[in-house]
Amino acid sequence: MLFFMLLLIANTISIIPIVEAKYVFSKKWGTIGTGNGQFNAPEGITVDTSGLAYVADTGNNRIQQFRLATPCPSGTTQIVGGVCFVRAWGTLGSGTGQFNKPSDVALDSAERVYVADKGNHRIQMFRGNGAFMKAWNSDGPGTAQFINLVGVAVDTSNNQIYAAEYMIGGQGVIHKFQLVSPCPVGTTEVVPGICFIGKWTYGQAPKDHLDPLNAVRGVAVNRLTHDVFVSFYKDIQMPGDDSFDEYSIIRSGNFPDSWGGRVSSDIGRFAYPTGIGIGPSGLVYVADSQNYRIQAFRLANPCPSDNPEIKPGVCFVTTWGTLGLANGQFAVPTDVAIGGPLGHVYVADTYNYRIQEFFWKTDVGGPGGGGNQP
């Protein structure tokens, strides 16, 4: 907490809005605590199209599940208007169904829940009701165990699973698995029903030179194009023992690319980007955590007239958020998800100990009209 307060003081002067935000605050829920609907530094969120939301309540070592609905269904409890607590599971520990600082959460096509159990160096898999299914901590028999899992994503079109690992003092790694049985030829069974396909290490791929100080911070996948997006940090060593930091988003898949660069609050630049969300039309949302904002991008060439080009093929759509406690402000937003029937945007506002919801404001829109897509 002391570190966080110093970070806030150090960065307050430099945080300025870039452009007027087009996303509008809708609701929030959560305060610091251990009760239902309370959080302790939540780092991950995912929301399905029906309005079920799962939050990695990191400091409380649990997953919380909510239903976004009005009125609240029987058996749930209203937290705020439109947000209903369903259940929570997990305690601190290393047993099945226990967690040690869960950092991220994802869903597959059958609403099975995958948790990056960072402190236990493993992925855990559950049914939607919290019932434990399986866990794994490596790429297969005889391989090194995970070190520091920071993210998990699932391609719901084929149930391929991507686990992001930040190897402290080493490289960032993306591990690729598939939920299938029996395992296809050329893959390795990790545990029954989970097959290891392969992995890539930054910077071996897709574009960066080998650098032992590279680090991965988050991962997301577009289910329609199968492109994988990775938030990525690199400490650039310069002659004379000088150095500077770069933060980028890297797209690997059909059209490998990257954007970002040296730390900045300019549009299209980042300061410690972490979670990434992919909207239903392919918009890429980035939790630009130490710029205390969300940025949204469109991948198109040429860019539409109202979307400035960041680089060929990457178009800036909008950004919103500044440092603070008010609605629409953030204190280290760590993850972003798009979901619910209208495709609203949900942000894990980690050190405000809450979740915030936003919608895209159209001329005739609003929460019941516009949805989230420009």
Side-chain angles (χ1 to χ4, degrees):
M1 181 60 72
L2 177 60
F3 168 79
F4 173 67
M5 295 304 296
L6 292 173
L7 181 65
L8 294 187
I9 294 170
N11 284 279
T12 299
I13 295 175
S14 64
I15 302 304
I16 57 174
I18 304 302
V19 297
E20 181 181 357
K22 297 180 180 179
Y23 278 87
V24 176
F25 172 83
S26 176
K27 64 173 67 78
K28 65 184 177 184
W29 72 98
T31 57
I32 187 169
T34 59
N36 297 340
Q38 294 184 309
F39 305 106
N40 185 356
E43 292 186 3
I45 183 169
T46 189
V47 184
D48 72 9
T49 55
S50 76
L52 270 177
Y54 298 80
V55 178
D57 188 3
T58 307
N60 283 327
N61 298 296
R62 65 183 180 181
I63 302 298
Q64 292 198 66
Q65 183 190 58
F66 302 90
R67 168 66 69 182
L68 305 173
T70 301
C72 286
S74 176
T76 68
T77 304
Q78 180 174 294
I79 301 299
V80 298
V83 179
C84 316
F85 173 81
V86 180
R87 61 174 57 87
W89 71 91
T91 57
L92 177 61
S94 58
T96 56
Q98 293 184 310
F99 303 108
N100 186 349
K101 294 187 171 16
S103 59
D104 199 11
V105 60
L107 301 173
D108 69 15
S109 60
E111 296 286 316
R112 290 171 290 243
V113 183
Y114 299 79
V115 179
D117 188 7
K118 179 167 58 176
N120 284 322
H121 317 292
R122 65 187 178 184
I123 299 290
Q124 291 199 70
M125 176 180 168
F126 302 87
R127 301 192 187 281
N129 62 4
F132 174 81
M133 296 184 69
K134 60 189 69 176
W136 68 98
N137 64 357
S138 71
D139 293 337
T143 62
Q145 294 186 356
F146 300 142
I147 294 176
N148 190 30
L149 290 171
V150 294
V152 61
V154 180
D155 186 336
T156 55
S157 65
N158 55 24
N159 285 339
Q160 290 182 345
I161 305 154
Y162 296 85
E165 181 182 14
Y166 169 31
M167 300 173 67
I168 298 174
Q171 296 172 326
V173 182
I174 301 295
H175 307 260
K176 183 178 180 180
F177 305 90
Q178 187 161 19
L179 177 67
V180 64
S181 185
C183 287
V185 174
T187 68
T188 302
E189 184 177 77
V190 178
V191 294
I194 299 294
C195 310
F196 171 67
I197 298 174
K199 64 182 177 183
W200 60 95
T201 303
Y202 290 91
Q204 290 179 354
K207 295 181 70 171
D208 288 277
H209 297 294
L210 190 65
D211 183 340
L213 298 179
N214 290 347
V216 164
R217 299 296 179 178
V219 62
V221 59
N222 185 322
R223 65 178 300 273
L224 299 178
T225 65
H226 312 296
D227 288 337
V228 178
F229 296 82
V230 177
S231 55
F232 179 74
Y233 158 74
K234 189 173 184 179
D235 182 5
I236 305 297
Q237 301 295 320
M238 301 294 290
D241 294 326
D242 192 14
S243 67
F244 61 87
D245 294 338
E246 280 193 355
Y247 293 93
S248 301
I249 302 300
I250 294 178
R251 174 175 57 156
S252 57
N254 295 328
F255 304 99
D257 204 351
S258 66
W259 70 96
R262 195 163 183 167
V263 172
S264 171
S265 60
D266 295 342
I267 62 172
R269 298 288 188 96
F270 307 101
Y272 210 115
T274 48
I276 305 168
I278 310 298
S281 67
L283 293 188
V284 180
Y285 300 79
V286 180
D288 189 4
S289 67
Q290 290 187 12
N291 277 325
Y292 310 102
R293 66 185 179 184
I294 303 298
Q295 293 196 69
F297 304 90
R298 185 191 307 279
L299 304 180
N301 197 1
C303 291
S305 59
D306 58 344
N307 293 165
E309 183 180 85
I310 300 300
K311 61 178 298 182
V314 180
C315 317
F316 173 78
V317 176
T318 191
T319 183
W320 72 97
T322 57
L323 175 64
L325 306 175
N327 298 340
Q329 293 186 310
F330 303 110
V332 188
T334 304
D335 201 11
V336 57
I338 299 85
L342 294 175
H344 288 181
V345 178
Y346 299 85
V347 179
D349 188 5
T350 300
Y351 288 107
N352 278 327
Y353 308 99
R354 65 187 180 185
I355 303 299
Q356 294 196 67
E357 178 191 272
F358 302 87
F359 65 92
W360 180 260
K361 184 177 181 180
T362 64
D363 292 341
V364 296
N372 85 306
Q373 296 297 310

